[in-house]
Amino acid sequence: KSLPEECHLANDDNGKMTSSLDKVNDAMTLMPQEPFHKEQNLNNGMQTIDKDAFYVNQREIEAHQVNLQNLCRICGGSFKNDPCKRSHPVHGPVDDEMQALLRKKERKATSWPDLLNKVFKIDVREDMDTIHPTNFCHNCWSVIQRKFSNVPCEVYFPRKGTMEWHPHSTSCDVCGTSSHGIKRKKQDPSPQGGKRLRIIAERARKVMYARSQKQVNNKSIMKKITNCKKIHLSTKMLTVDYPVDFVKSISCQICEHILADPVETTCKHLFCRLCILKCLKIIGSYCPSCRYPCFPTDLVNPVRSFLSILNTLAVRCPVKDSHEEVTLGKYSHHLSSHKEKKE
């Protein structure tokens, strides 16, 4: 072909290409923009849903924290059940009443976390406000008090163990139960003994009660005989709350006061000299504790080491507005000094 013809064919091809491109552009302009707008709307909707879910979760967590403030950290009970609505902070120093009791017991714990760890075996130092309550109820406070005091009564603790706290979830036990406390798990009924065992136990209880009543009556008679309240010191005057067995060992077995001029019988029982002499004269020549034969000539002084321990015991000064502590060995000299000041 000649050159003019080739140029003419190339121009025709270029014209066709441009016309097809123009048609594609027109079609793109004429196509609807709905899918793009739909995707954009879906993204915006998802963002709003996420924001709403975030706000709902935040509200639930805040409500969960409010509910936690009404529950006890230890037993899970509600403070609303207490008519006085008493509560105590988990963190912080011990109150004055508990501090006085701990001083009497010679304990060094001064903060609630230490005491809770000793009594309930709970470490509250790593607690989180979003999971754990920050207060405990007065019932658990009384459990701690009776743990360190010699109160001979049963302490009611509402659970076998302490509460386990978990973060907020859809099946949360805390939310909705703050008014009456978290429900306890059902305990298996204790197996009852046979009828024969119950009859034996009842008989033994009656025999023990009769014996104890007889001993109480004998002690009350002996106390009336001695009548030494104004002379001898009560064990309540001791500044330290010693164990019961130790207090019994330093007290007279007749008047139950602190031993004054103690004497020992041949059966190794200790009495105040005045008390035992009065009882031997009126009741008869036998030991008031075990009824072993005993005479005034059999009475001897206890060992020196026991007397030295007895004389080092600290007692309170009986004078009003006097908070002094005096050893038992210097007690009579201390009283005489008070009398001299009055004179």
Side-chain angles (χ1 to χ4, degrees):
K1 291 181 181 180
S2 60
L3 287 169
E5 287 178 0
E6 287 179 358
C7 292
H8 181 71
L9 288 171
N11 291 329
D12 289 341
D13 291 337
N14 289 331
K16 288 177 182 178
M17 286 289 290
T18 52
S19 63
S20 62
L21 286 170
D22 291 337
K23 286 178 182 178
V24 168
N25 290 330
D26 293 338
M28 288 290 289
T29 52
L30 291 170
M31 279 176 68
Q33 303 293 326
E34 288 179 1
F36 177 73
H37 289 300
K38 280 183 181 178
E39 286 179 4
Q40 202 169 11
N41 291 333
L42 282 170
N43 290 330
N44 293 331
M46 289 293 288
Q47 286 177 1
T48 53
I49 288 165
D50 290 339
K51 283 181 183 178
D52 292 339
F54 174 74
Y55 287 128
V56 167
N57 289 334
Q58 199 170 6
R59 283 175 198 161
E60 285 182 359
I61 290 165
E62 287 174 0
H64 180 76
Q65 280 184 280
V66 171
N67 292 334
L68 284 175
Q69 298 306 316
N70 296 321
L71 299 177
C72 174
R73 167 67 178 86
I74 299 161
C75 66
S78 177
F79 299 140
K80 294 176 183 178
N81 295 334
D82 186 6
C84 300
K85 294 182 181 179
R86 294 165 292 184
S87 63
H88 306 273
V90 170
H91 304 282
V94 179
D95 55 16
D96 295 336
E97 189 176 349
M98 191 66 71
Q99 189 69 33
L101 182 62
L102 291 171
R103 275 201 208 107
K104 200 174 181 183
K105 284 284 183 181
E106 295 181 335
R107 300 289 177 131
K108 294 182 179 179
T110 55
S111 63
W112 283 121
D114 295 337
L115 278 181
L116 295 175
N117 195 10
K118 283 183 180 179
V119 178
F120 299 106
K121 308 298 179 188
I122 298 175
D123 189 10
V124 296
R125 291 183 180 88
E126 297 180 358
D127 281 5
M128 297 174 66
D129 293 343
T130 54
I131 300 173
H132 304 92
T134 55
N135 296 317
F136 63 97
C137 63
H138 192 72
N139 191 29
C140 294
W141 181 90
S142 62
V143 171
I144 300 169
Q145 186 193 27
R146 288 170 186 172
K147 178 82 174 174
F148 292 104
S149 60
N150 295 328
V151 180
C153 60
E154 293 182 0
V155 178
Y156 170 71
F157 189 64
R159 290 176 176 272
K160 282 185 175 179
T162 53
M163 274 293 300
E164 291 183 3
W165 301 95
H166 304 286
H168 178 66
S169 61
T170 53
S171 59
C172 184
D173 292 332
V174 174
C175 298
T177 58
S178 60
S179 59
H180 52 269
I182 298 174
K183 290 182 180 179
R184 287 180 277 162
K185 293 178 181 179
K186 291 182 179 179
Q187 299 176 359
D188 298 329
S190 59
Q192 295 180 354
K195 190 176 180 181
R196 188 178 176 184
L197 290 172
R198 273 183 277 147
I199 292 166
I200 292 166
E202 283 175 9
R203 285 178 183 173
R205 203 178 294 115
K206 286 178 182 178
V207 170
M208 290 296 291
Y209 179 74
R211 284 180 184 174
S212 63
Q213 287 295 108
K214 193 175 180 180
Q215 287 177 357
V216 167
N217 292 333
N218 290 338
K219 280 187 178 181
S220 61
I221 290 164
M222 286 190 287
K223 281 180 183 179
K224 286 178 182 178
I225 290 167
T226 55
N227 193 19
C228 58
K229 283 184 181 179
K230 295 180 181 179
I231 306 167
H232 299 157
L233 297 175
S234 172
T235 53
K236 293 178 181 178
M237 292 185 71
L238 293 166
T239 55
V240 179
D241 194 2
Y242 292 109
V244 178
D245 294 333
F246 180 79
V247 174
K248 283 181 181 178
S249 67
I250 60 162
S251 58
C252 175
Q253 306 224 358
I254 297 171
C255 65
E256 296 180 348
H257 295 143
I258 300 171
L259 286 165
D261 191 10
V263 290
E264 188 179 345
T265 59
T266 50
C267 51
K268 300 295 181 183
H269 289 120
L270 292 168
F271 303 93
C272 301
R273 190 183 293 274
L274 185 64
C275 297
I276 188 66
L277 288 174
K278 281 184 179 179
C279 285
L280 291 176
K281 188 176 180 181
I282 295 169
I283 294 174
S285 298
Y286 60 86
C287 176
S289 294
C290 62
R291 304 185 74 83
Y292 188 81
C294 179
F295 300 91
T297 52
D298 297 330
L299 302 175
V300 293
N301 292 325
V303 292
R304 289 181 182 177
S305 57
F306 176 81
L307 292 174
S308 63
I309 292 168
L310 188 66
N311 289 327
T312 53
L313 294 174
V315 293
R316 296 188 194 89
C317 180
V319 179
K320 286 183 179 180
D321 301 328
S322 176
H323 302 287
E324 294 180 28
E325 295 179 3
V326 192
T327 57
L328 199 61
K330 297 178 181 178
Y331 183 80
S332 57
H333 178 70
H334 182 76
L335 278 184
S336 61
S337 65
H338 274 295
K339 287 178 182 178
E340 286 175 4
K341 284 178 184 178
K342 281 184 180 180
E343 289 173 359

